[in-house]
Amino acid sequence: MPLILLSVSPFDIQALASIHYTSTLSNPLTQLLYGDADPLEIQASMNRGMAMRVKDSIEDPQNPHRYMKVVDTDLGNDGEGEGEMISYADWVVPVGEDDEKEKAGKGEGEGEKKDGKESKREEEEEVGGEKAPPRPSFPKGMNIAVQEAFMKEITALRERVLGKRKHYLLGNLATVPTHQGRGAASQLIKWPFEDADKAGVMIYLDTDLEGKGINLYKKLGFKVVDECRLDLGKLGSEGVHTHVGMVREPGTPY
């Protein structure tokens, strides 16, 4: 069954949200985050968030997010005659020191006026050098304290590792559980490798130390360079969740 790597389209919103939600159900941290929220409300919230982010990434040339998908052409139709989506990734294209120099070199008044999308972007949270999507509206019953504590640790981790270095960043990667192990995730992870190597740009991701994906990332040339820990005992659960920052330097064999 052939797998093809393609760009995401607006037709893929619901499938993206569904794959993301399904892939998180076995994660203890995510289960703690979901709390007592209605699963249907969680999925509806994800649909709204995905719709906003994907639409903006397609329509706004300055949006650094690139949503990619892998489809199986032997599994039905995704609405565009391409097959069924089995995996997706949210990549952030390079930003860093050169972009800051460009901004600093603008004269007074250039890029200073904030209205419409500009004022909206100003309110967005900056994480690891790129603009993060606006915070979603969480369904009733979700453990917001978990989200806030986790994002605080992740933000600090990314700032320590990335600084102002130009980089690619893998935001989200999810595969339908029944299609894991078929190579879809590898295609999505390797998507920027050629361009990154040519430009001499690092690639960054962070992931659960105990997650299934960490061995694949290591196989593809990523190395653990830092970590952050979340004390779940302070958030109504038990134990410690460890998230690691991983980097692939340009030219690393894979």
Side-chain angles (χ1 to χ4, degrees), residues 1-4 70-75 82 182 187:
M1 293 180 279
L3 304 182
I4 300 177
V70 169
V71 302
D72 186 330
T73 57
D74 286 344
L75 292 179
E82 295 171 344
R182 297 183 56 203
Q187 287 193 44

Side-chain angles (χ1 to χ4, degrees), residues 16-234:
L16 283 180
S18 177
I19 291 173
H20 182 77
Y21 176 72
T22 303
S23 70
T24 63
L25 293 178
S26 61
N27 186 307
L29 181 64
T30 309
Q31 291 175 348
L32 182 61
L33 169 63
Y34 290 164
D36 298 324
D38 183 339
L40 293 179
E41 286 297 318
I42 294 173
Q43 292 183 68
S45 177
M46 285 185 178
N47 278 340
R48 292 191 296 270
M50 284 289 186
M52 176 183 65
R53 290 191 292 272
V54 172
K55 183 175 183 291
D56 193 46
S57 72
I58 293 173
E59 296 180 353
D60 182 1
Q62 295 185 11
N63 188 309
H65 289 263
R66 301 291 181 270
Y67 287 87
M68 305 299 296
K69 65 181 178 180
V70 169
V71 302
D72 186 330
T73 57
D74 286 344
L75 292 179
N77 192 301
D78 69 347
E80 295 187 309
E82 295 171 344
E84 181 179 319
M85 188 195 321
I86 63 171
S87 189
Y88 91 94
D90 171 15
W91 277 102
V92 180
V93 299
V95 291
E97 188 175 30
D98 292 346
D99 304 272
E100 296 302 317
K101 289 179 180 178
E102 182 179 343
K103 291 176 185 176
K106 289 183 178 180
E108 186 176 352
E110 288 186 69
E112 297 296 329
K113 205 171 182 181
K114 300 289 192 297
D115 56 13
K117 283 187 177 180
E118 292 302 317
S119 61
K120 180 180 178 182
R121 288 186 183 284
E122 188 179 55
E123 297 172 358
E124 293 173 347
E125 182 179 4
E126 185 141 359
V127 179
E130 63 279 338
K131 295 291 186 180
R135 292 185 178 184
S137 175
F138 293 106
K140 182 179 179 181
M142 285 188 69
N143 194 337
I144 310 304
V146 174
Q147 172 74 5
E148 292 177 345
F150 179 68
M151 288 310 302
K152 179 180 178 180
E153 294 296 332
I154 289 297
T155 300
L157 173 64
R158 293 181 179 181
E159 288 175 348
R160 289 196 304 271
V161 175
L162 298 173
K164 294 295 183 180
R165 286 189 65 186
K166 192 172 281 289
H167 60 275
Y168 283 84
L169 183 147
L170 178 58
N172 285 310
L173 173 66
T175 302
V176 175
T178 53
H179 292 286
Q180 291 176 357
R182 297 183 56 203
S186 293
Q187 287 193 44
L188 290 163
I189 296 166
K190 292 188 288 186
W191 172 71
F193 280 16
E194 184 176 351
D195 289 341
D197 288 348
K198 287 180 180 178
V201 176
M202 68 181 286
I203 304 175
Y204 172 86
L205 62 86
D206 39 62
T207 189
D208 183 351
L209 178 63
E210 304 298 328
K212 296 180 180 178
I214 192 166
N215 289 330
L216 176 59
Y217 298 138
K218 289 179 178 179
K219 181 180 178 181
L220 295 176
F222 288 86
K223 293 183 178 180
V224 174
V225 294
D226 202 346
E227 68 177 35
C228 63
R229 296 184 178 186
L230 193 63
D231 185 352
L232 302 183
K234 296 180 179 180

